[in-house]
Structures are given as structure tokens and as C-alpha cells.
Amino acid sequence: MGSFKSEIDGLKDIGILREKKDRIKESVISPELNWNSRMELYQQVQMINTRIAQLSTQRKSHC
């Protein structure tokens, strides 16, 4: 999970972050996933949401 967080923290394009989030959300419905796998995906979505919020705040403060 650490490498995923590093990847997300390195991104500055909100559009790319939203695309990643959408791909993850689509994969959550897979019947092959167990509960632990789903929880990891939900945590990744939360990390992306946090990063989007950070970038949105930074952009607003620069205006």
C-alpha cells in the first residue's frame, strides 16, 4: 500500500486521479474479491479522495 500512496501523492492532475478512482470503483464489484481485497480497494479510493481534496485546496489558495 505504501507504493500506491507514493504514486498518488506524486500525482498533481485531478483528472488522472479521478480516472484511477473510477477504475478502482469498477473493480470492487468483482465477485472474485474477498472482503479484505475490497477493503484495500476502498482504502485506495479514500487516499485518492484525500489527494484530490489537497490539490483542490491548493488551487483555491493560489487564486
Side-chain angles (χ1 to χ4, degrees):
M1 190 72 83
S3 64
F4 180 82
K5 180 156 177 43
S6 296
E7 176 189 351
I8 296 306
D9 287 344
L11 291 172
K12 293 182 172 33
D13 185 319
I14 291 175
I16 292 172
L17 288 163
R18 286 188 176 135
E19 287 173 14
K20 282 188 170 291
K21 182 173 81 170
D22 288 343
R23 282 195 300 270
I24 292 170
K25 285 168 58 176
E26 289 172 8
S27 69
V28 167
I29 61 172
S30 173
E32 294 95 39
L33 291 177
N34 62 28
W35 177 247
N36 288 333
S37 298
R38 279 194 178 87
M39 284 307 297
E40 187 171 321
L41 292 174
Y42 286 128
Q43 289 171 345
Q44 289 177 353
V45 167
Q46 186 59 44
M47 283 184 219
I48 293 172
N49 286 337
T50 300
R51 182 65 177 148
I52 290 171
Q54 288 171 344
L55 292 172
S56 296
T57 302
Q58 287 175 0
R59 290 194 177 145
K60 288 177 186 172
S61 67
H62 284 99
C63 295

